[in-house]
Amino acid sequence: MVQRAAVMTGLGSIDVREVPEPVPGPREAVVRIEAVGVCGSDAAYFTIGRIGDYVVDGPIILGHEASGQVAQVGSEVTNVKVGDRVAIEPGTPCRDCHECMAGRYHLCPDLVFLATPPYDGALQELMAIDARNLFPLPDSMSYEEGALLEPLSVGIWGCNRARLAAGDDVLVTGAGPVGLLAAATARALGAGGVTITDVSDFRLGTAAALGFQTEKADADPAPGETFDVLLECSGAPGALSAGLMRLRPNGRAAMIGMPKQDVQLPLARLNPAELTISLVNRYAHTWPIAIRLVASGRVDVKPLVTHHFPLSQTAEALTLAKTVPDSIKAVIHPQQ
């Protein structure tokens, strides 16, 4: 038996081809993939071929923001059953190493992460994965919302790393999908106020429509306006340094957007405020809270999805940000 998959065969090249249907192992489930969100990492692999030390050196299936319906289960699976609608956590740890045993499974040195070379991702009709990575969706949630639990998890983990507390004034730099979801998480967790900066008028308009205060990133900030928490989601040169300068004493920052170059910081000026800077590497234990935030209506992910594509138009979806600047998130539907 065969199925369709969108295989990246080279830089800028996608071939929708037939590949073997997966067979689940004892602890695995086969999921009928219904929705896959396009991430900036997918676009980078497609157009550049690498992210840091991760290099595409052969055919690969992209896509790690995914949801679907359980089609088969292995003999030892007990947490999901055939027919369940599920969101997929894309990282499978070894579950035995020091980091896994300490609960930091996202730092497992042997983590198998979807669509991170050399591992294939979710842009296929059927995919086998450890069933412990699957989380049943409430009937009220769509597959698109289920797929966006992955970038929402990045926002949740960023707030966690910044030790965000109720009443904090929060500055979010970057109004892309992760920035908007980090801002939404901060508000849901009780932030006193959330301000988002970006260079795009379209994205700032989306942020304003979602109820956030907005600033143009290249404009002079309001004099004397300071914040307790910085969530840096842009990866833009100088964004972290400039944001840190706007924090109050004992301020906390989470660096969510990873810049492509080394970052220089004016530590002599920042040290008197005794700021804390935390790095963010994916997430851990976030899917249950992400589901609750969306299902309860405290976080609305639907406005972020601006474009939909069938599997045959995967290449167009992966280049959407370059061809349509007034876009936020593309979702690919492998069953279409």
Side-chain angles (χ1 to χ4, degrees):
M1 299 290 289
V2 295
Q3 58 151 336
R4 293 185 311 146
V7 181
M8 175 181 163
T9 55
L11 287 182
S13 177
I14 293 287
D15 181 17
V16 177
R17 59 173 61 165
E18 291 184 341
V19 299
E21 286 189 1
V23 176
R27 297 297 299 269
E28 291 184 324
V30 172
V31 180
R32 181 179 186 266
I33 304 298
E34 295 286 350
V36 182
V38 174
C39 175
S41 64
D42 297 316
Y45 285 131
F46 184 59
T47 57
I48 303 171
R50 68 180 302 149
I51 297 176
D53 293 333
Y54 296 104
V55 180
V56 177
D57 60 0
I60 188 171
I61 299 171
L62 299 174
H64 63 268
E65 302 176 4
S67 66
Q69 186 175 51
V70 177
Q72 279 184 274
V73 295
S75 59
E76 298 178 17
V77 172
T78 59
N79 64 310
V80 294
K81 63 184 184 301
V82 173
D84 281 353
R85 302 166 63 255
V86 294
I88 300 171
E89 183 170 358
T92 302
C94 77
R95 307 187 194 275
D96 292 319
C97 70
H98 174 78
E99 297 304 327
C100 287
M101 296 301 291
R104 300 183 293 264
Y105 63 85
H106 63 304
L107 302 181
C108 173
D110 296 318
L111 188 74
V112 175
F113 199 88
L114 296 182
T116 298
Y119 306 112
D120 284 332
L123 284 172
Q124 50 188 317
E125 292 179 315
L126 296 165
M127 183 182 71
I129 193 166
D130 190 316
R132 289 167 287 185
N133 292 40
L134 304 181
F135 295 86
L137 294 173
D139 292 340
S140 60
M141 285 179 60
S142 68
Y143 287 119
E144 290 82 3
E145 289 172 304
L148 264 66
L149 296 179
E150 197 278 342
L152 176 58
S153 286
V154 177
I156 292 169
W157 195 244
C159 289
N160 178 298
R161 293 285 290 159
R163 293 185 290 110
L164 188 142
D168 281 341
D169 290 319
V170 179
L171 175 64
V172 179
T173 47
V178 169
L180 292 170
L181 291 172
T185 301
R187 181 168 59 189
L189 296 178
V194 181
T195 298
I196 302 181
T197 70
D198 202 282
V199 295
S200 165
D201 290 330
F202 173 76
R203 294 193 171 192
L204 288 176
T206 301
L210 292 172
F212 300 110
Q213 297 295 315
T214 61
E215 286 183 10
K216 202 67 179 290
D218 51 5
D220 292 332
E225 185 177 28
T226 55
F227 302 89
D228 301 295
V229 168
L230 167 67
L231 302 175
E232 204 304 276
C233 301
S234 71
L240 178 64
S241 177
L244 289 170
M245 297 300 295
R246 302 183 68 183
L247 291 182
R248 297 166 185 151
N250 195 44
R252 291 95 64 204
M255 189 172 177
I256 301 172
M258 188 55 59
K260 296 179 176 62
Q261 64 287 316
D262 291 340
V263 173
Q264 294 186 341
L265 298 177
L267 295 180
R269 297 173 62 191
L270 296 171
N271 184 69
E274 204 171 55
L275 306 180
T276 299
I277 304 171
S278 296
L279 303 182
V280 175
N281 180 27
R282 296 171 178 152
Y283 33 65
H285 312 290
T286 54
W287 255 255
I289 188 173
I291 290 172
R292 290 185 176 93
L293 287 175
V294 174
S296 67
R298 297 181 70 185
V299 170
D300 186 4
V301 301
K302 293 188 294 292
L304 275 65
V305 180
T306 55
H307 293 75
H308 297 265
F309 295 88
L311 192 67
S312 61
Q313 294 181 353
T314 292
E316 290 87 340
L318 291 169
T319 55
L320 178 70
K322 288 187 175 182
T323 58
V324 184
D326 289 355
S327 62
I328 297 179
K329 172 68 72 173
V331 171
I332 300 170
H333 302 272
Q335 304 303 323
Q336 293 182 5

